[in-house]
Structure formats: structure tokens, C-alpha cells
Amino acid sequence: MKPGVNPEVRICFQEVSIIIMISLDISKAYGNNLILKGTKYCIYSGDTNKDGVIDATDLSVVDNEAFIGSSGRFLTADLNCDNIVDGADISIADNNSFANVTAIVPVGLSQLK
């Protein structure tokens, strides 16, 4: 870590705020459950119903929101956080559903959905 860089980042979701300790070592992520996009490791997105699995149910939510043209802040189906649900979000949900992405959480934290 470079001097003067804060290794702690606060991320706010709809109802929960979490603090993440940043590390340059990918193996430090619990379960190694990140995806490399370009030069950055990212959290998988697409579990719109928070059941721990990205599947057809989640894809249906995103598809329906895209069909009606949902826009605004904090939309569950806005997977790329651009404040509009569109084809880009459908693509993310579809790709992660096809890849059978599931949550990897420590024992005892599954009740925090």
C-alpha cells in the first residue's frame, strides 16, 4: 500500500453500510469470490432477491425493470450503478446467472441477507 493511502473504504448499499479493508492481495478476499474486470477486482452483482444465488429469478427482475425503463438512485436491478436499468444490467445478470455465481460467506453470516 502506498504511503498516505487509506486502506479502509466504506461502501453503502440500500440499507447497510459496510467497511472493507483494502488489500493488494486477491487471496485476502473471503472465498476468492471477486472477478477481474480490466485491472480491478470487483464484487459480483446480480442477486436482486438476496437469496445468495444469481439465477433466472434475478434475471427476470432486471428484465422487467429494464422493460419499464426504471431510473433513479438505489435501484435493486441497476447492477452497474448508472441510475438506469437497461440492457447493460440485463447482460450482467445474464452472464453471472450463466456462470452459476453464488455467495460465499463465513459461517454464521448467512442470516445477514
Side-chain angles (χ1 to χ4, degrees):
M1 198 60 60
K2 294 179 182 176
V5 174
N6 185 355
E8 188 176 281
V9 175
R10 181 176 301 275
I11 298 177
C12 297
F13 295 95
Q14 281 181 293
E15 299 172 11
V16 176
S17 178
I18 60 173
I19 296 176
I20 298 177
M21 296 302 293
I22 303 299
S23 171
L24 298 177
D25 185 0
I26 183 61
S27 68
K28 298 291 184 187
Y30 187 84
N32 293 323
N33 58 346
L34 300 178
I35 184 169
L36 181 63
K37 299 293 260 179
T39 60
K40 298 179 181 176
Y41 286 97
C42 303
I43 300 171
Y44 284 97
S45 60
D47 186 16
T48 59
N49 63 356
K50 311 289 188 268
D51 66 353
V53 179
I54 301 174
D55 57 15
T57 303
D58 302 298
L59 184 56
S60 177
V61 169
V62 177
D63 185 59
N64 289 337
E65 292 292 319
F67 179 76
I68 62 173
S70 292
S71 63
R73 295 181 61 201
F74 308 117
L75 298 171
T76 302
D78 181 17
L79 304 181
N80 62 357
C81 300
D82 65 354
N83 297 328
I84 186 165
V85 182
D86 57 12
D89 303 297
I90 293 172
S91 178
I92 292 169
D94 186 52
N95 289 339
N96 290 340
S97 174
F98 182 76
N100 296 313
V101 173
T102 59
I104 302 172
V105 296
V107 174
L109 289 183
S110 60
Q111 75 276 9
L112 296 178
K113 292 181 187 174

